[in-house]
Amino acid sequence: MAYLNENYLKLKAGYLFPEIGRRVSAFTAAQPEAARRLIRCGIGDVTEALPAASRAAMHAAVDELGDRTTFKGYGPEQGYDFLRTAIAENMFRARGLEVADDEIFVSDGSKCDTGNILDIFGTGNRLGIPDPVYPVYVDTNVMAGNTGEADAAGAYAGIGYLPCHEGNGFMPDVPAAGEPPLDLIYLCSPNNPTGAAVTREKLQAWVEYALRHGSVILFDAAYEAFITDPAIPRSIYEIPGGRECAIEFRSFSKHGGFTGVRCAFTVVPKSLMAGTRDGRKLPLHPLWSRRMTTKFNGASYIVQRGAAALFSEAGKAEVATLIDHYLGNAAVLREAARDAGLTSFGGTDAPYIWVKTPGGLGSWEFFDVMLNKLNVVVTPGAGFGAAGEGFFRISAFNSRANAIEVGRRLREEL
Ligand SMILES: *Cc1c(COP(=O)(O)O)cnc(C)c1O
């Protein structure tokens, strides 16, 4: 008998997107006429075409592989130097941040990286995970056996949920003095789903907390490119001490429209240490390097060429145009929500708008109103954690025409 990983049995059935799909199918079957004008603002996936600079670079890379003198087989597991250097130079050193090329680990996605990172941490770490948040952080900890069972409300034993609400700007505050210190802390800024971005003061408080307690912060900056407010930190390494307490995750998915192409990276500073049970402090960098060389064979050469092209002058201009497009949609949706009398947050430094359900409706109840009355699919906040109840997320990943039409329906049909 082979035994399975029983931690998987603790996972609540993938509830959110299947349930949205079920409700949308039921609506389509019942109201085929109305279903024809359905607009999806639910999924966190980009919609606009891939930058031409990336496409040209990928075409050229394919041709290189078609000639045995320039053919490439396996590449370096940590990523090609041309991309690691372009990342470190453009995203960090150009902003005065100290990040070495070999502290960048290129991968095929931040979803995998934020899950796989648990390979290099031991068991028994006290976890701090914001609520609501990107569900990957919780589920990967459940799979790794770092939690107990879920309670009736869906909260897993062994996870310290860090509530995010209007009162704290939808970014968790450091725990009060006297509470048992957290060892491994997830922060996502700009945030999926709330669209909030952490202030410098709050991020500094978290870095100081982590340095005080020897904790590690897992900082997911997948939406960094959407930050418009110059006061908002784009990297945790902007905070003094960040290199001693944080791993940063970035992705080209939302930055360059790469959700289908697949390329991301993780920064593990060589100065970041974690403890052994016998009291030593050792660097994490060699562990992640070993993990990647053992369990990963590198992102595709073609894709890495496509990602590097995002840092060319033409590529940067195209990325800026993409981001402007989505943030323009977000502005249209935010204004419409306001005109409709809804209270909303986010959407200025992120492609998501976090809207309070009116009249005290539950997030699924309001999902149904949006679906059946406005024929617009949104994402119920409760799907991102218990503290998301009473909110819904509207995604700005759409065509401008769709954003304008959703705005019109919010104003005229709600
Ligand atoms: C989209 C997203 C990512 C990026 O995932 P990829 O696997 O790189 O596509 C990472 N974190 C959050 C919070 C996201 O929403």
Side-chain angles (χ1 to χ4, degrees), residues 227-346:
I227 295 173
T228 55
D229 181 346
I232 297 288
R234 291 171 170 268
S235 166
I236 195 164
Y237 305 125
E238 290 179 31
I239 310 296
R243 284 182 52 85
E244 279 67 52
C245 69
I247 290 174
E248 184 161 305
F249 302 95
R250 298 249 193 129
S251 172
F252 296 105
S253 281
K254 318 301 164 31
H255 174 108
F258 265 47
T259 54
V261 179
R262 313 301 308 139
C263 196
F265 65 92
T266 294
V267 187
V268 185
K270 286 179 222 152
S271 44
L272 174 65
M273 315 283 263
T276 62
R277 293 288 169 192
D278 62 8
R280 288 172 296 155
K281 285 186 99 180
L282 297 175
L284 285 165
H285 184 276
L287 273 67
W288 185 243
S289 187
R290 185 62 197 261
R291 193 262 164 218
M292 292 302 268
T293 52
T294 302
K295 292 199 186 180
F296 187 57
N297 247 338
S300 126
Y301 173 69
I302 301 164
V303 162
Q304 292 190 62
R305 279 290 177 203
L310 296 173
F311 297 111
S312 65
E313 284 315 307
K316 283 180 185 169
E318 286 182 278
V319 168
T321 303
L322 272 179
I323 302 295
D324 280 353
H325 167 78
Y326 294 126
L327 286 175
N329 287 350
V332 166
L333 293 164
R334 240 182 22 248
E335 283 159 26
R338 183 200 57 208
D339 293 349
L342 298 169
T343 305
S344 75
F345 305 89

Side-chain angles (χ1 to χ4, degrees), residues 109-112 134 137 188 192 220 222-223 251 253-254 262 264 352:
S110 280
K111 188 194 222 183
C112 344
Y134 187 51
Y137 314 149
C188 177
N192 178 8
D220 184 349
Y223 295 95
S251 172
S253 281
K254 318 301 164 31
R262 313 301 308 139
Y352 299 122

